[in-house]
Amino acid sequence: MNKKLIALAIATLPAVAMADVTIYGRLVGGVERDSIKLNNDGALRNADFSETAAPNKKITQTNVEDYLSWIGFKGQEDLGNGLKAIWQVENYIAIDGTGTTAHSQGTFASRDSFVGLAGNFGKVRLGKLTNAQRDMFDLDVWNNSNGANALDIFKRVAYRPNNSIRYDSPDFAGFSGSLLWGAGENKNAGAATNPSGKSSDVVNAGLNYRNSGFFAQYGYDKRKNAQSPFGNPEGKHATAHTVEAGYGADGLLVSAGFQRTKGYEWSDRAYFNETGGFATGAADNLRTREVALTAAYSIGAWTPKVSLAKGFDQKDVDGKVNDSGYKQYILGVDYSLSKRTKLSAAYGHLSFGENADYAAASGNGPSIDNLLNVKKQSTTSLSVEHWF
Protein backbone atom coordinates (compact mmCIF):
# COMPACT_ATOMS: atom_id res chain seq x y z
CA MET A 1 0.00 0.00 0.00
CA ASN A 2 1.22 3.53 -0.82
CA LYS A 3 2.91 5.10 2.23
CA LYS A 4 1.03 8.37 1.66
CA LEU A 5 -2.30 6.54 1.85
CA ILE A 6 -1.25 4.86 5.12
CA ALA A 7 -0.28 8.22 6.63
CA LEU A 8 -3.58 9.72 5.49
CA ALA A 9 -5.58 6.85 7.00
CA ILE A 10 -3.81 7.26 10.37
CA ALA A 11 -4.33 11.01 10.33
CA THR A 12 -8.09 10.61 9.82
CA LEU A 13 -8.53 8.36 12.89
CA PRO A 14 -10.34 10.01 15.81
CA ALA A 15 -7.92 11.51 18.33
CA VAL A 16 -9.44 9.49 21.15
CA ALA A 17 -8.60 6.26 19.31
CA MET A 18 -4.93 7.19 19.26
CA ALA A 19 -4.64 8.36 22.89
CA ASP A 20 -2.86 6.36 25.61
CA VAL A 21 -2.38 3.20 23.55
CA THR A 22 0.97 1.45 23.89
CA ILE A 23 2.35 -1.38 21.75
CA TYR A 24 5.09 -3.37 23.49
CA GLY A 25 6.55 -6.84 23.67
CA ARG A 26 9.47 -9.22 23.69
CA LEU A 27 11.07 -11.35 20.99
CA VAL A 28 13.51 -14.06 22.00
CA GLY A 29 14.77 -17.11 20.20
CA GLY A 30 17.66 -19.50 20.55
CA VAL A 31 19.44 -22.67 19.59
CA GLU A 32 19.55 -25.42 22.20
CA ARG A 33 20.91 -28.93 22.56
CA ASP A 34 18.86 -31.33 24.70
CA SER A 35 20.09 -34.64 26.07
CA ILE A 36 17.58 -36.82 27.95
CA LYS A 37 18.14 -40.24 29.51
CA LEU A 38 15.28 -42.38 30.82
CA ASN A 39 15.20 -44.73 33.80
CA ASN A 40 15.05 -48.47 33.19
CA ASP A 41 11.25 -48.48 33.11
CA GLY A 42 11.00 -45.26 31.07
CA ALA A 43 8.65 -44.92 28.13
CA LEU A 44 7.71 -42.70 25.23
CA ARG A 45 4.19 -41.27 25.46
CA ASN A 46 2.51 -40.56 22.15
CA ALA A 47 -0.15 -37.97 21.40
CA ASP A 48 -2.90 -40.48 22.22
CA PHE A 49 -1.26 -41.16 25.64
CA SER A 50 -0.25 -44.67 24.61
CA GLU A 51 3.17 -45.75 25.87
CA THR A 52 6.04 -47.62 24.29
CA ALA A 53 8.74 -49.14 26.51
CA ALA A 54 12.15 -47.55 26.05
CA PRO A 55 14.48 -48.88 28.78
CA ASN A 56 17.75 -46.96 29.18
CA LYS A 57 16.90 -44.90 26.14
CA LYS A 58 18.90 -41.70 25.54
CA ILE A 59 17.61 -39.00 23.24
CA THR A 60 19.74 -36.10 22.01
CA GLN A 61 18.34 -33.39 19.81
CA THR A 62 19.24 -29.89 18.58
CA ASN A 63 16.35 -27.44 18.43
CA VAL A 64 15.70 -23.90 17.23
CA GLU A 65 13.36 -22.53 19.90
CA ASP A 66 11.08 -19.63 20.62
CA TYR A 67 11.58 -18.71 24.27
CA LEU A 68 8.09 -17.32 24.91
CA SER A 69 7.96 -14.27 22.67
CA TRP A 70 4.91 -12.04 22.96
CA ILE A 71 3.29 -8.77 21.89
CA GLY A 72 0.92 -6.58 23.88
CA PHE A 73 -1.43 -3.62 23.56
CA LYS A 74 -2.56 -1.54 26.51
CA GLY A 75 -4.17 1.77 27.34
CA GLN A 76 -6.17 3.78 29.83
CA GLU A 77 -8.76 6.54 30.08
CA ASP A 78 -8.92 9.20 32.79
CA LEU A 79 -12.45 9.15 34.23
CA GLY A 80 -11.84 11.97 36.70
CA ASN A 81 -11.50 12.10 40.50
CA GLY A 82 -8.45 9.85 40.35
CA LEU A 83 -10.32 7.01 38.62
CA LYS A 84 -9.05 5.39 35.41
CA ALA A 85 -10.33 2.75 33.04
CA ILE A 86 -7.51 0.32 32.17
CA TRP A 87 -7.23 -2.41 29.54
CA GLN A 88 -4.62 -4.75 28.09
CA VAL A 89 -4.36 -7.55 25.53
CA GLU A 90 -1.21 -9.70 25.39
CA ASN A 91 -0.51 -12.55 22.99
CA TYR A 92 2.12 -15.27 22.74
CA ILE A 93 3.83 -15.46 19.36
CA ALA A 94 6.03 -18.36 18.29
CA ILE A 95 8.80 -16.91 16.16
CA ASP A 96 10.11 -20.41 15.36
CA GLY A 97 6.79 -21.22 13.67
CA THR A 98 5.66 -24.00 16.00
CA GLY A 99 3.91 -22.91 19.19
CA THR A 100 2.69 -25.01 22.10
CA THR A 101 -0.74 -25.77 23.49
CA ALA A 102 0.65 -25.46 27.02
CA HIS A 103 0.82 -21.69 26.60
CA SER A 104 -1.89 -21.31 23.94
CA GLN A 105 0.55 -19.76 21.51
CA GLY A 106 -0.99 -18.57 18.29
CA THR A 107 -4.28 -17.53 19.90
CA PHE A 108 -5.35 -14.00 20.76
CA ALA A 109 -5.31 -12.89 24.43
CA SER A 110 -3.16 -15.88 25.44
CA ARG A 111 -1.31 -13.85 28.11
CA ASP A 112 -2.60 -11.30 30.65
CA SER A 113 -5.63 -9.66 29.02
CA PHE A 114 -8.21 -7.63 30.92
CA VAL A 115 -10.43 -4.61 31.37
CA GLY A 116 -10.76 -2.87 34.73
CA LEU A 117 -10.65 0.18 36.94
CA ALA A 118 -7.75 1.74 38.88
CA GLY A 119 -7.69 4.46 41.53
CA ASN A 120 -6.64 5.29 45.06
CA PHE A 121 -8.25 2.02 46.19
CA GLY A 122 -5.90 -0.03 44.00
CA LYS A 123 -7.16 -1.76 40.90
CA VAL A 124 -9.76 -4.34 39.90
CA ARG A 125 -9.45 -6.31 36.65
CA LEU A 126 -11.47 -8.98 34.86
CA GLY A 127 -10.06 -11.38 32.27
CA LYS A 128 -7.13 -13.78 32.00
CA LEU A 129 -4.85 -12.74 34.86
CA THR A 130 -1.52 -13.69 36.39
CA ASN A 131 -1.62 -15.41 39.78
CA ALA A 132 0.55 -14.36 42.74
CA GLN A 133 3.15 -17.08 42.07
CA ARG A 134 3.74 -15.89 38.53
CA ASP A 135 4.09 -12.31 39.77
CA MET A 136 6.85 -13.09 42.22
CA PHE A 137 9.62 -14.98 40.49
CA ASP A 138 12.77 -12.93 40.93
CA LEU A 139 14.26 -16.43 41.04
CA ASP A 140 13.65 -16.89 37.34
CA VAL A 141 16.37 -15.10 35.35
CA TRP A 142 16.37 -17.63 32.49
CA ASN A 143 14.81 -17.75 29.05
CA ASN A 144 12.06 -20.35 29.15
CA SER A 145 12.00 -23.69 27.36
CA ASN A 146 11.06 -27.30 27.97
CA GLY A 147 14.69 -27.99 28.82
CA ALA A 148 16.77 -28.12 31.98
CA ASN A 149 18.00 -24.53 31.52
CA ALA A 150 15.03 -22.89 33.30
CA LEU A 151 13.29 -23.33 36.67
CA ASP A 152 10.18 -24.79 35.05
CA ILE A 153 9.54 -27.40 37.76
CA PHE A 154 9.65 -24.86 40.59
CA LYS A 155 7.45 -22.53 38.49
CA ARG A 156 4.82 -25.14 37.63
CA VAL A 157 2.10 -23.46 39.75
CA ALA A 158 2.81 -19.99 38.31
CA TYR A 159 0.11 -19.47 35.68
CA ARG A 160 -2.71 -17.28 34.38
CA PRO A 161 -6.19 -18.58 35.24
CA ASN A 162 -8.94 -17.92 32.72
CA ASN A 163 -12.26 -16.31 33.72
CA SER A 164 -10.66 -14.37 36.58
CA ILE A 165 -11.30 -11.29 38.67
CA ARG A 166 -8.34 -9.86 40.59
CA TYR A 167 -7.92 -7.07 43.12
CA ASP A 168 -4.53 -5.43 43.78
CA SER A 169 -4.10 -3.16 46.78
CA PRO A 170 -2.18 0.12 46.70
CA ASP A 171 1.31 0.21 48.16
CA PHE A 172 1.48 0.81 51.94
CA ALA A 173 5.09 1.65 52.89
CA GLY A 174 6.37 -1.16 50.67
CA PHE A 175 3.59 -3.65 51.48
CA SER A 176 0.96 -4.73 48.94
CA GLY A 177 -1.39 -7.64 48.35
CA SER A 178 -3.62 -9.30 45.80
CA LEU A 179 -6.72 -11.52 45.70
CA LEU A 180 -7.85 -13.53 42.69
CA TRP A 181 -10.81 -15.77 41.96
CA GLY A 182 -11.12 -17.73 38.74
CA ALA A 183 -14.30 -19.47 37.63
CA GLY A 184 -13.65 -23.04 36.52
CA GLU A 185 -16.76 -23.00 34.31
CA ASN A 186 -16.48 -26.77 33.86
CA LYS A 187 -19.19 -28.09 36.19
CA ASN A 188 -21.22 -29.45 33.30
CA ALA A 189 -18.28 -30.36 31.08
CA GLY A 190 -19.20 -34.05 31.03
CA ALA A 191 -17.83 -37.20 32.65
CA ALA A 192 -14.94 -37.55 30.20
CA THR A 193 -13.18 -34.38 31.41
CA ASN A 194 -14.94 -33.71 34.72
CA PRO A 195 -15.94 -36.99 36.39
CA SER A 196 -16.75 -35.35 39.74
CA GLY A 197 -19.24 -32.86 38.26
CA LYS A 198 -17.75 -30.06 40.37
CA SER A 199 -16.34 -26.76 39.14
CA SER A 200 -12.54 -26.35 39.32
CA ASP A 201 -12.51 -22.76 40.58
CA VAL A 202 -9.26 -21.01 41.48
CA VAL A 203 -8.56 -19.08 44.68
CA ASN A 204 -5.27 -17.20 44.83
CA ALA A 205 -3.72 -14.65 47.21
CA GLY A 206 -0.42 -12.80 47.40
CA LEU A 207 1.45 -10.69 49.96
CA ASN A 208 4.48 -8.61 48.98
CA TYR A 209 7.08 -6.34 50.55
CA ARG A 210 9.71 -4.31 48.69
CA ASN A 211 11.93 -1.61 50.14
CA SER A 212 15.46 -0.41 49.34
CA GLY A 213 16.21 -3.48 47.22
CA PHE A 214 14.98 -6.01 49.78
CA PHE A 215 11.89 -8.09 48.97
CA ALA A 216 9.76 -10.82 50.48
CA GLN A 217 6.78 -12.43 48.75
CA TYR A 218 4.20 -15.11 49.52
CA GLY A 219 1.70 -16.75 47.19
CA TYR A 220 -1.15 -19.16 47.92
CA ASP A 221 -2.99 -20.97 45.14
CA LYS A 222 -5.90 -23.41 45.41
CA ARG A 223 -7.42 -25.30 42.50
CA LYS A 224 -10.74 -26.62 43.77
CA ASN A 225 -11.87 -30.05 42.60
CA ALA A 226 -8.77 -30.62 40.49
CA GLN A 227 -9.44 -33.12 37.73
CA SER A 228 -7.20 -35.62 35.98
CA PRO A 229 -7.61 -36.21 32.23
CA PHE A 230 -7.26 -39.92 33.00
CA GLY A 231 -10.40 -39.88 35.16
CA ASN A 232 -10.19 -38.77 38.79
CA PRO A 233 -13.77 -38.91 40.13
CA GLU A 234 -12.73 -37.77 43.61
CA GLY A 235 -12.16 -34.17 42.54
CA LYS A 236 -9.89 -33.28 45.45
CA HIS A 237 -8.30 -29.86 45.82
CA ALA A 238 -4.76 -29.02 44.66
CA THR A 239 -2.90 -26.33 46.63
CA ALA A 240 0.45 -24.52 46.58
CA HIS A 241 2.28 -22.29 49.06
CA THR A 242 5.26 -20.34 47.67
CA VAL A 243 7.68 -18.05 49.51
CA GLU A 244 10.49 -15.99 48.01
CA ALA A 245 12.85 -13.45 49.60
CA GLY A 246 16.07 -11.70 48.70
CA TYR A 247 17.84 -8.55 47.60
CA GLY A 248 18.06 -6.90 44.19
CA ALA A 249 19.82 -3.57 43.63
CA ASP A 250 23.01 -2.05 42.18
CA GLY A 251 23.49 -4.94 39.77
CA LEU A 252 23.23 -7.65 42.44
CA LEU A 253 20.42 -10.17 42.74
CA VAL A 254 20.18 -12.88 45.40
CA SER A 255 16.85 -14.68 45.74
CA ALA A 256 15.81 -17.80 47.67
CA GLY A 257 12.50 -19.66 47.45
CA PHE A 258 10.56 -22.45 49.14
CA GLN A 259 7.47 -24.16 47.79
CA ARG A 260 5.06 -26.77 49.14
CA THR A 261 2.30 -28.30 47.04
CA LYS A 262 -0.48 -30.85 47.39
CA GLY A 263 -1.91 -32.53 44.32
CA TYR A 264 0.95 -31.74 41.91
CA GLU A 265 3.64 -34.09 40.69
CA TRP A 266 6.89 -32.68 39.28
CA SER A 267 5.40 -32.79 35.78
CA ASP A 268 2.00 -31.29 36.61
CA ARG A 269 1.66 -27.79 35.20
CA ALA A 270 -0.96 -25.62 36.83
CA TYR A 271 -1.47 -23.64 33.63
CA PHE A 272 -2.88 -26.77 31.99
CA ASN A 273 -5.72 -26.24 34.48
CA GLU A 274 -6.96 -23.15 32.67
CA THR A 275 -9.98 -25.00 31.32
CA GLY A 276 -10.63 -27.41 34.15
CA GLY A 277 -7.69 -29.06 35.80
CA PHE A 278 -4.68 -31.23 35.24
CA ALA A 279 -3.36 -31.94 38.73
CA THR A 280 -2.99 -35.70 38.38
CA GLY A 281 -1.62 -36.17 41.89
CA ALA A 282 -4.78 -34.81 43.52
CA ALA A 283 -6.35 -38.27 43.80
CA ASP A 284 -3.94 -39.32 46.55
CA ASN A 285 -3.06 -35.90 47.93
CA LEU A 286 0.50 -36.17 46.65
CA ARG A 287 2.67 -33.65 48.52
CA THR A 288 5.94 -32.04 47.43
CA ARG A 289 8.52 -29.69 48.96
CA GLU A 290 11.29 -27.89 47.10
CA VAL A 291 13.80 -25.06 47.46
CA ALA A 292 15.58 -22.83 44.94
CA LEU A 293 18.33 -20.20 44.96
CA THR A 294 19.40 -17.71 42.29
CA ALA A 295 22.34 -15.28 42.27
CA ALA A 296 23.38 -12.82 39.56
CA TYR A 297 25.76 -9.87 39.37
CA SER A 298 26.21 -7.34 36.57
CA ILE A 299 29.76 -6.29 35.68
CA GLY A 300 29.50 -3.75 32.89
CA ALA A 301 27.67 -5.43 30.00
CA TRP A 302 28.21 -8.91 31.48
CA THR A 303 25.88 -10.63 33.97
CA PRO A 304 26.99 -14.08 35.18
CA LYS A 305 24.23 -15.98 36.98
CA VAL A 306 23.49 -19.29 38.65
CA SER A 307 20.43 -21.13 39.97
CA LEU A 308 20.15 -24.20 42.20
CA ALA A 309 16.98 -26.17 42.95
CA LYS A 310 16.13 -29.29 44.92
CA GLY A 311 12.89 -31.22 45.18
CA PHE A 312 12.71 -33.47 48.23
CA ASP A 313 11.14 -36.93 48.16
CA GLN A 314 7.39 -36.74 47.61
CA LYS A 315 4.76 -38.08 50.00
CA ASP A 316 1.50 -39.85 49.20
CA VAL A 317 -1.24 -41.46 51.31
CA ASP A 318 1.17 -44.25 52.29
CA GLY A 319 3.93 -41.86 53.40
CA LYS A 320 7.30 -40.94 51.91
CA VAL A 321 8.05 -42.08 48.36
CA ASN A 322 11.75 -42.94 48.37
CA ASP A 323 13.95 -41.70 45.50
CA SER A 324 11.22 -39.44 44.14
CA GLY A 325 12.98 -36.06 44.30
CA TYR A 326 15.04 -34.00 41.85
CA LYS A 327 18.16 -31.83 41.75
CA GLN A 328 18.93 -29.02 39.32
CA TYR A 329 21.61 -26.47 38.58
CA ILE A 330 21.85 -23.82 35.86
CA LEU A 331 24.90 -21.76 34.90
CA GLY A 332 24.79 -18.88 32.46
CA VAL A 333 25.81 -15.41 31.40
CA ASP A 334 24.08 -12.47 29.71
CA TYR A 335 25.76 -9.88 27.50
CA SER A 336 23.87 -6.62 26.94
CA LEU A 337 24.21 -5.23 23.43
CA SER A 338 21.94 -2.33 24.42
CA LYS A 339 19.29 -1.50 26.99
CA ARG A 340 16.78 -3.58 25.03
CA THR A 341 18.86 -6.32 23.39
CA LYS A 342 21.04 -9.01 24.94
CA LEU A 343 22.68 -12.34 24.22
CA SER A 344 22.40 -15.20 26.69
CA ALA A 345 24.19 -18.52 27.12
CA ALA A 346 23.10 -21.18 29.61
CA TYR A 347 23.69 -24.76 30.63
CA GLY A 348 21.24 -26.62 32.86
CA HIS A 349 21.26 -30.10 34.35
CA LEU A 350 18.40 -32.02 35.99
CA SER A 351 18.59 -35.40 37.74
CA PHE A 352 15.75 -37.43 39.23
CA GLY A 353 15.26 -40.31 41.62
CA GLU A 354 14.09 -43.61 40.16
CA ASN A 355 10.54 -43.01 41.46
CA ALA A 356 10.25 -39.34 40.50
CA ASP A 357 8.16 -40.22 37.41
CA TYR A 358 9.04 -36.99 35.62
CA ALA A 359 7.86 -36.43 32.04
CA ALA A 360 9.87 -34.17 29.74
CA ALA A 361 9.90 -33.04 26.13
CA SER A 362 12.75 -32.07 23.86
CA GLY A 363 11.78 -28.73 22.38
CA ASN A 364 8.54 -26.75 22.35
CA GLY A 365 7.23 -28.26 19.13
CA PRO A 366 4.02 -30.34 19.33
CA SER A 367 5.49 -33.15 17.20
CA ILE A 368 7.95 -34.29 19.91
CA ASP A 369 6.75 -37.21 22.04
CA ASN A 370 6.78 -36.78 25.81
CA LEU A 371 9.43 -38.76 27.64
CA LEU A 372 8.28 -40.54 30.79
CA ASN A 373 10.33 -41.37 33.89
CA VAL A 374 13.33 -39.22 33.06
CA LYS A 375 16.60 -40.00 34.87
CA LYS A 376 18.73 -37.09 33.63
CA GLN A 377 18.22 -34.09 31.39
CA SER A 378 20.73 -31.47 30.28
CA THR A 379 20.23 -28.45 28.03
CA THR A 380 22.75 -26.06 26.48
CA SER A 381 21.38 -22.91 24.86
CA LEU A 382 22.39 -19.68 23.14
CA SER A 383 19.68 -17.05 22.66
CA VAL A 384 19.09 -13.45 21.61
CA GLU A 385 16.41 -11.32 23.27
CA HIS A 386 14.92 -7.95 22.27
CA TRP A 387 12.32 -5.82 24.06
CA PHE A 388 10.25 -3.19 22.27
Side-chain angles (χ1 to χ4, degrees):
M1 183 182 291
N2 189 290
K3 292 183 178 180
K4 292 183 178 180
L5 292 178
I6 295 175
L8 179 62
I10 294 175
T12 57
L13 288 173
V16 67
M18 300 296 293
D20 296 323
V21 177
T22 302
I23 301 175
Y24 61 100
R26 171 182 183 258
L27 298 174
V28 55
V31 179
E32 70 175 40
R33 181 73 167 176
D34 283 329
S35 178
I36 303 173
K37 185 176 181 180
L38 306 182
N39 277 315
N40 289 338
D41 57 348
L44 300 180
R45 184 173 67 189
N46 300 313
D48 60 356
F49 296 107
S50 63
E51 297 180 6
T52 303
N56 294 312
K57 187 174 183 65
K58 183 177 181 180
I59 294 179
T60 302
Q61 181 166 282
T62 300
N63 308 307
V64 174
E65 293 293 346
D66 170 82
Y67 288 138
L68 301 185
S69 303
W70 49 270
I71 186 171
F73 309 86
K74 64 182 178 181
Q76 61 182 29
E77 180 187 7
D78 191 344
L79 303 177
N81 297 319
L83 187 65
K84 294 180 180 180
I86 55 175
W87 64 271
Q88 176 178 296
V89 179
E90 283 187 359
N91 316 279
Y92 281 113
I93 50 178
I95 61 172
D96 63 347
T98 54
T100 169
T101 56
H103 297 90
S104 303
Q105 287 185 340
T107 63
F108 211 61
S110 51
R111 285 174 55 93
D112 281 47
S113 300
F114 58 81
V115 63
L117 296 172
N120 295 330
F121 61 88
K123 58 185 176 182
V124 177
R125 295 170 292 166
L126 296 94
K128 183 183 183 74
L129 297 162
T130 285
N131 73 348
Q133 275 85 352
R134 193 171 185 93
D135 265 345
M136 70 168 54
F137 279 110
D138 296 89
L139 280 165
D140 185 32
V141 294
W142 309 98
N143 287 329
N144 190 283
S145 78
N146 280 329
N149 58 344
L151 295 176
D152 282 354
I153 300 178
F154 196 92
K155 289 175 55 184
R156 68 192 183 281
V157 298
Y159 67 115
R160 299 178 174 90
N162 289 337
N163 318 309
S164 298
I165 179 170
R166 171 169 165 160
Y167 167 72
D168 290 84
S169 76
D171 186 280
F172 298 102
F175 291 92
S176 62
S178 65
L179 292 172
L180 179 147
W181 174 76
E185 297 189 0
N186 64 324
K187 185 175 182 179
N188 299 314
T193 58
N194 187 0
S196 75
K198 299 177 181 179
S199 185
S200 298
D201 295 351
V202 173
V203 178
N204 184 268
L207 294 173
N208 311 286
Y209 175 76
R210 288 184 178 271
N211 188 15
S212 303
F214 294 95
F215 59 86
Q217 304 167 97
Y218 166 74
Y220 167 77
D221 192 78
K222 181 178 184 178
R223 169 67 63 168
K224 300 176 67 176
N225 309 306
Q227 302 299 322
S228 163
F230 308 108
N232 166 24
E234 298 178 60
K236 293 186 177 180
H237 305 327
T239 59
H241 300 264
T242 310
V243 178
E244 183 181 3
Y247 176 83
D250 301 321
L252 173 66
L253 171 66
V254 179
S255 180
F258 170 79
Q259 184 164 263
R260 186 180 69 191
T261 75
K262 182 177 74 171
Y264 292 101
E265 296 178 339
W266 303 131
S267 301
D268 289 334
R269 306 287 182 172
Y271 49 70
F272 286 172
N273 291 342
E274 292 173 351
T275 57
F278 206 92
T280 58
D284 20 79
N285 290 319
L286 189 69
R287 289 165 289 167
T288 71
R289 294 177 301 121
E290 57 205 303
V291 293
L293 173 69
T294 289
Y297 184 67
S298 296
I299 309 170
W302 297 91
T303 304
K305 52 190 182 179
V306 60
S307 286
L308 306 172
K310 177 178 175 60
F312 300 96
D313 285 344
Q314 303 168 65
K315 294 182 179 180
D316 60 18
V317 290
D318 297 319
K320 180 179 177 180
V321 182
N322 292 325
D323 296 322
S324 62
Y326 75 88
K327 296 178 181 179
Q328 181 180 19
Y329 67 85
I330 313 172
L331 304 172
V333 62
D334 297 338
Y335 180 76
S336 296
L337 298 172
S338 70
K339 290 184 177 180
R340 296 184 296 170
T341 305
K342 69 179 180 181
L343 300 175
S344 298
Y347 173 79
H349 182 80
L350 269 164
S351 59
F352 299 89
E354 292 186 1
N355 300 314
D357 197 25
Y358 179 75
S362 176
N364 288 331
S367 62
I368 304 299
D369 288 339
N370 285 326
L371 308 174
L372 296 181
N373 208 350
V374 172
K375 182 177 182 179
K376 295 180 180 180
Q377 180 176 8
S378 61
T379 303
T380 304
S381 64
L382 178 65
S383 61
V384 58
E385 176 181 345
H386 177 75
W387 292 79
F388 62 90

